[in-house]
Amino acid sequence: MDKSFSETYLNFQQVTWDTLKEAINDTLFMTIISMLIVFVLGLLLGLLLYSLGRKHSAARSILYGLVSILSNIFRSTPFMILMVLIIPFTKALVGTMLGAKAAIPALVLSAAPFYARLVEIAFREVDSGVLEAADSMGASYFQTIYKVLIPESLPALISGLTVTSVSMIGFTAMAGAIGAGGLGALAWQEGYQRGNYTVTLVATVIILIIVFIVQGVGDFLTKRTDKR
C-alpha cells in the first residue's frame, strides 16, 4: 500500500518544474494585482456605505439601499458563475477571456464588495466619542477620515484585507479551472484530468503555503497596529 501511495502521489518525475514556476507566477500575479485594486475600491465603497448609513435622511437611505443591493449581488454570486457572466465585459476590457489577466475583473468584482462590507463594519466600530472630539476641534470631513477614522480602524482593516486575500487565493484556483491559468489550472488540467496526482498534490501544498504566509503576515500586522 505504501508503494502504491508513493507511486500515485510522490512521483515527482511527473512534475514539470518550469510549468509549476509559471503557474506560481500566474497565481501571485492574479492575487497581488487584484488585491491592490480590491483594497482601493473596497476602501472607497466601504467608506461610502459608512457615510451614507451614518446620517439618516430619505435620500441617503435610498442611496445606501441601492449601493448595498449592488454590493450584495456581486459578493453573493458564486465566483465561477460571475466569471462566466462577465465574459463579454472581460473581453472588452482586457482583450481576451483566457489567461491570468482575464481573471482579474471577476476577482475584483467578487472580492471588492466583500471587503467593502468589512471596511464598513470596521468604521462602525470606531468609538463615536473619538469622532465627536475630532468634529468639536473643527476637523473637516476628510481630516476626520484619514487622521481619525482610518488610523483607529486600521487593525480591523488589515484583518479584513487578510481574510479577503485568503479568499482571493481560493478564487484564483477556481478561475484556473476555466482558463485563467495559475496553480488551480495546473492542479486540475495537468494533475487531475491526466491522472498526475503528484502535480495536484504539489500545487495544493504550494497554495496552502501561500495562504499561510498571507495569514501570518496579516496577523502580525494586525497585532502591531492594535493599540489596545
Side-chain angles (χ1 to χ4, degrees), residues 81-129:
I81 295 176
L82 178 64
M83 192 168 181
V84 172
L85 285 174
I86 67 167
I87 282 177
F89 170 75
T90 300
K91 197 169 182 180
L93 186 65
V94 301
T96 180
M97 54 181 286
L98 299 174
K101 288 193 301 182
I104 290 177
L107 290 169
V108 171
L109 287 175
S110 180
F114 175 76
Y115 182 57
R117 284 298 187 183
L118 298 179
V119 170
E120 182 190 10
I121 293 170
F123 286 164
R124 286 182 181 276
E125 291 179 349
V126 174
D127 188 354
S128 59

